[in-house]
């Protein structure tokens, strides 16, 4: 009895390990369907899902990648977000501080221009009196 059970277990394990998902046939069958999009496509104003479910598509993709083949049917990835998240008030405060530092570098020249304008205005007023 124990011999038959062990033999059955061995044959089952051999059958499971020997089974390989027939990805080449599936890939050939659904090649045009996969090229239409990742989840589906628009056809005559209506959304058409793929003829292959997401679970089967993922399994097929996994088998193809494990076999060392390339999988060209994934959608192109977008760029990574370069802007960091945070509170708007913190960003505005930092911008204001940077702007203030720039203006403080220009401050001596701005004061000289202001004094010159005041002096010119004073001179025009004196000329107008005379």
């Amino acid at each position: 009895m124990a011999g038959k059970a062990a033999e059955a277990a061995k044959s089952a394990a051999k059958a499971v390990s020997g089974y390989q998902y027939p990805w080449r046939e599936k890939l050939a069958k659904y090649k045009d369907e996969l090229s239409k999009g990742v989840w589906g496509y628009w056809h005559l104003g209506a959304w058409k899902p793929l003829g292959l479910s997401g679970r089967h598509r993922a399994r097929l993709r996994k088998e193809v990648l494990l076999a060392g083949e390339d999988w060209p049917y994934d959608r192109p990835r977008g760029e990574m977000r370069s802007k960091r998240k945070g509170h708007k008030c913190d960003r505005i405060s930092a911008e204001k501080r940077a702007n203030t530092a720039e203006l403080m570098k220009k401050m001596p020249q701005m004061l000289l221009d202001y004094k010159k304008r005041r002096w010119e205005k004073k001179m025009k007023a004196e000329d107008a009196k005379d």
Side-chain angles (χ1 to χ4, degrees):
M1 225 15 141
K4 286 187 179 183
E7 196 174 302
K10 281 183 186 177
S11 67
K14 186 176 180 184
V16 169
S17 67
Y19 173 75
Q20 187 175 11
Y21 187 70
W23 62 268
R24 287 192 194 276
E25 294 86 28
K26 295 278 186 183
L27 190 61
K29 182 178 177 184
Y30 293 110
K31 189 172 207 134
D32 59 335
E33 195 75 9
L34 288 168
S35 64
K36 292 177 181 173
V38 177
W39 296 285
Y41 56 98
W42 288 97
H43 179 70
L44 299 175
W47 177 256
K48 301 276 187 179
L50 292 182
L52 186 65
S53 74
R55 183 168 57 97
H56 288 116
R57 182 185 184 282
R59 184 175 181 188
L60 178 61
R61 179 180 181 275
K62 180 180 172 185
E63 288 291 328
V64 169
L65 292 176
L66 283 174
E69 303 289 324
D70 63 328
W71 181 260
Y73 304 111
D74 282 337
R75 68 180 178 92
R77 294 283 184 177
E79 285 188 27
M80 292 286 289
R81 177 191 297 258
S82 60
K83 215 175 192 183
R84 294 179 182 243
K85 289 186 173 181
H87 295 282
K88 184 177 178 182
C89 61
D90 296 337
R91 287 195 306 270
I92 290 173
S93 299
E95 289 171 7
K96 283 183 177 180
R97 281 193 298 271
N99 190 28
T100 303
E102 288 293 319
L103 289 174
M104 290 304 287
K105 289 178 186 173
K106 299 176 186 175
M107 186 58 75
Q109 184 60 42
M110 290 169 72
L111 286 172
L112 288 174
D113 293 342
Y114 172 71
K115 287 178 182 177
K116 187 176 179 183
R117 281 195 312 268
R118 269 187 39 214
W119 181 78
E120 287 173 353
K121 189 176 179 183
K122 184 179 175 184
M123 289 295 128
K124 281 185 183 177
E126 286 182 6
D127 287 343
K129 275 186 179 179
D130 292 337

